[in-house]
Amino acid sequence: MSTKQEKMEAFGRLLDILDELRVKCPWDRKQTNESLRTNTIEETYELCDALMREDDTDIKKELGDLLLHIVFYAKIGDEKGAFDMKDICDSLCEKLIYRHPHVFGDGAADSSQKVEQNWEQLKLKEKGGNKTVLQGVPAALPSVVKAHRIQDKARNVGFDWTEREQVWDKVQEEFSELKTEIGRMDADKMEAEFGDLFFSLINAARLYKINPDNALERTNQKFIRRFNYLEEHTIRQGKNLKEMTLGEMDKIWNEAKAKGL
């Protein structure tokens, strides 16, 4: 693997290349924080996809694409006189040192859970930091990720079930309330109860150390594989899905399932 000096030289080369692009390339020259923002979100999701697939080649590529955006934002900040890459690194280093007193100070933490609890408490004490426990949850997060993050932050200040098995009573309660509203066919209340049920299931996943977003994405990918098998099999028979009965489709679906797709 590369030495620290080689890594620093490679990062310096990236900074030099972007400096040159910012001057000589018409596309790079016109970019702003706002114009890059949507692409940054896309690059983040592409990295997440590569991580889910555990594809090291793609992970390396997507990390590079995301790093380019970070360097780009730093360059724009430098041009505005607001901050530069050194400021970003210094700020991050100071935050890491402050929030890890068990490593860089006289604090104590004998488990990852204790580290997370300390982290949240220290964030509340920081000057200019979060004023409330849930303030640090970004409003733009996808709903499943946001729910998990909200619950995790509440846990870190002690708001959680005493025993994780207790969550299943809550899941059953929310499911019963949903069925009641379905019986009444009140669209607004059905939506609200669906949300409560999802929230309780996400809470259960958290308590059993399952990432709900990863779990749902695994099911998404499984459905895609099986549906693609169904579609390809149908095309080979000279048919299309609209011509098939549900029973015929189920038979092919079960073939895909038996193949481990």
Side-chain angles (χ1 to χ4, degrees):
M1 299 299 289
S2 306
T3 64
K4 181 178 179 180
Q5 181 61 34
E6 289 171 332
K7 293 172 185 175
M8 297 296 290
E9 289 174 357
F11 188 63
R13 183 184 177 210
L14 173 60
L15 294 176
D16 291 341
I17 289 172
L18 187 62
D19 284 345
E20 191 164 358
L21 289 174
R22 190 67 169 164
V23 173
K24 298 180 180 179
C25 175
W27 186 90
D28 290 281
R29 191 165 55 237
K30 74 174 186 178
Q31 297 311 307
T32 64
N33 286 339
E34 181 57 30
S35 69
L36 288 170
R37 186 180 65 84
T38 302
N39 287 339
T40 304
I41 295 170
E42 182 180 335
E43 296 295 355
T44 302
Y45 276 109
E46 288 179 359
L47 171 59
C48 290
D49 179 62
L51 291 167
M52 283 289 294
R53 292 184 281 107
E54 297 185 350
D55 186 325
D56 286 339
T57 299
D58 275 1
I59 291 171
K60 179 182 71 173
K61 172 184 174 296
E62 299 303 340
L63 282 171
D65 291 345
L66 193 56
L67 178 58
L68 172 60
H69 281 245
I70 294 170
V71 172
F72 220 135
Y73 290 122
K75 178 63 178 176
I76 293 171
D78 191 9
E79 292 168 351
K80 291 163 56 179
F83 58 83
D84 60 16
M85 184 57 73
K86 178 182 180 300
D87 296 322
I88 294 171
C89 291
D90 285 345
S91 176
L92 176 58
C93 289
E94 289 164 8
K95 179 170 69 175
L96 289 173
I97 292 169
Y98 174 74
R99 293 188 186 173
H100 291 81
H102 56 288
V103 176
F104 300 106
D106 55 4
D110 55 5
S111 69
S112 61
Q113 182 174 342
K114 183 62 177 175
V115 172
E116 291 176 12
Q117 291 173 348
N118 289 346
W119 184 281
E120 293 299 334
Q121 294 297 328
L122 288 166
K123 285 173 72 173
L124 291 172
K125 293 178 182 177
E126 286 177 8
K127 182 179 179 181
N130 299 333
K131 300 299 186 295
T132 66
V133 173
L134 301 182
Q135 184 178 336
V137 180
L141 279 178
S143 296
V144 172
V145 178
K146 185 190 291 185
H148 188 263
R149 192 73 185 106
I150 288 169
Q151 294 165 2
D152 208 38
K153 280 184 170 289
R155 170 185 69 87
N156 285 333
V157 293
F159 189 76
D160 204 0
W161 301 103
T162 307
E163 301 292 337
R164 65 182 182 181
E165 290 78 12
Q166 295 171 317
V167 75
W168 297 114
D169 289 335
K170 186 63 176 175
V171 171
Q172 290 296 331
E173 175 189 328
E174 299 297 353
F175 184 55
S176 296
E177 291 177 0
L178 171 61
K179 288 197 295 183
T180 298
E181 296 305 334
I182 288 174
R184 295 170 179 165
M185 291 304 294
D186 184 316
D188 183 66
K189 289 183 178 178
M190 283 193 293
E191 181 180 272
E193 293 302 338
F194 259 113
D196 290 347
L197 178 59
F198 290 156
F199 195 84
S200 65
L201 285 169
I202 291 167
N203 215 352
R206 176 187 61 83
L207 288 164
Y208 284 86
K209 303 188 184 304
I210 296 169
N211 184 299
D213 190 62
N214 290 350
L216 181 57
E217 182 57 22
R218 286 183 66 176
T219 297
N220 288 341
Q221 294 302 320
K222 180 169 59 180
F223 185 92
I224 289 170
R225 290 193 301 272
R226 291 178 182 175
F227 194 86
N228 285 343
Y229 179 90
L230 168 62
E231 191 171 28
E232 291 164 5
H233 192 90
T234 303
I235 291 171
R236 285 200 299 270
Q237 292 181 342
K239 301 178 181 179
N240 64 60
L241 292 174
K242 291 182 179 179
E243 297 172 345
M244 300 185 72
T245 66
L246 182 57
E248 289 172 327
M249 287 191 283
D250 277 342
K251 181 179 179 181
I252 299 172
W253 183 274
N254 288 330
E255 286 179 13
K257 190 174 180 179
K259 290 176 179 290
L261 297 179

